[in-house]
Amino acid sequence: MALPDHPAPRINPSILSADFANMQSELARIAAADFVHVDVMDNHFVPNLTFGPQMVERVQATSPIPLDVHLMIDDPDRWAPGYAEIGAASVTFHLEAAADPVALARRLRGIGARAGVAVKPGTGVEPLLEHLTEFDQILVMTVEPGFGGQSFMPETLPKLRRLAEEARRRGADVWLQVDGGISSETIGQAAEAGADTFVAGSAVYGADDIDAAIAGLRQAAAHHRH
Ligand code: DX5
Ligand code: ZN
């Protein structure tokens, strides 16, 4: 699905680093960003627990910008379509957890969401290469999923290079997202490797001036563009 008003580089702040008790004002603070990144965790796929569909529905109703939902949950084949039905612009599930990733991506697109698939740092992207046109976004995790505030893992960058090269070769219009440890220091490496969509939690919500932090990330990414 084309969203022409969101050209690369896209900056998606993660509300995992926001103050959960003041979600409405925390969402208002990131109005200058592209998408709000919503980390759904189930205490099974990852050792942490966050939001479920009711909370995501309230975020959807309150957010000034569209939702980029990242599902770190078991059995996404069963649960992911519900997040698309709520109205999330983008729904990303983990390759490691999905029984039939291509069928699930088709269902998400059928509901009207962008379909995303994510890989943990230790998971290869080879199985995705021949299906690139089935997805609107591929998320290469640059930390082990579960918690904000971890250090960026540069050893994940070759996967981005591989995906960017293959997407170009096949003419696939797929966004390449990174998530974990993205800051003004690390975003350039990810952009250079081919990422065009950047999740940042602590680098945005930990900043004194959120608008300046978003603008700074955008500028640094654009400067190192692939
Ligand atoms: C981690 C989440 C991330 C997290 C990133 O599992 O998927 O979205 O919020 O936080 P930072 O940017 O602080 O690494
Ligand atoms: Zn995430």
Side-chain angles (χ1 to χ4, degrees):
M1 187 191 299
L3 290 174
D5 49 339
H6 292 282
R10 289 165 282 269
I11 306 296
N12 300 0
S14 168
I15 51 166
L16 188 60
S17 297
D19 177 359
F20 287 10
N22 292 293
M23 196 52 84
Q24 187 167 9
S25 57
E26 292 287 75
L27 289 166
R29 294 172 79 199
I30 56 166
D34 291 283
F35 294 82
V36 52
H37 184 81
V38 182
D39 287 307
V40 173
M41 306 188 190
D42 69 350
N43 249 354
H44 291 270
F45 184 74
V46 288
N48 197 1
L49 184 65
T50 56
F51 321 109
Q54 278 178 286
M55 179 67 183
V56 176
E57 195 162 11
R58 291 300 298 145
V59 171
Q60 166 74 30
T62 309
S63 176
I65 54 175
L67 268 59
D68 171 40
V69 174
H70 175 194
L71 298 175
M72 285 160 276
I73 62 171
D74 281 342
D75 203 3
D77 307 76
R78 176 173 178 192
W79 301 110
Y83 292 89
E85 276 154 15
I86 287 167
S90 177
V91 178
T92 297
F93 58 86
H94 267 266
L95 180 63
E96 301 87 354
D100 192 340
V102 169
L104 180 53
R106 289 179 182 171
R107 277 182 71 197
L108 294 172
R109 281 179 166 178
I111 299 167
R114 291 175 57 85
V117 64
V119 288
K120 298 202 270 188
T123 303
V125 293
E126 290 73 21
L128 294 173
L129 298 179
E130 61 182 297
H131 301 294
L132 289 183
T133 57
E134 299 282 356
F135 299 99
D136 299 297
Q137 170 167 289
I138 297 180
L139 166 52
V140 172
M141 289 301 299
T142 44
V143 298
E144 287 298 338
F147 299 92
Q150 303 182 77
S151 298
F152 177 76
M153 296 169 66
E155 58 268 39
T156 58
L157 295 176
K159 292 195 286 188
L160 284 165
R161 294 200 181 91
R162 188 74 215 280
L163 287 165
E165 179 187 295
E166 203 62 25
R168 184 171 304 153
R169 201 173 71 77
R170 294 173 189 256
D173 179 19
V174 58
W175 294 359
L176 300 182
Q177 185 177 59
V178 284
D179 180 10
I182 298 296
S183 68
S184 53
E185 280 79 52
T186 58
I187 196 168
Q189 301 168 57
E192 187 276 328
D196 52 32
T197 306
F198 304 87
V199 177
S202 41
V204 170
Y205 278 105
D208 292 331
D209 183 340
I210 283 201
D211 284 343
I214 292 168
L217 289 169
R218 210 189 287 287
Q219 203 172 26
H223 186 70
H224 291 89
R225 200 139 172 209
H226 184 66

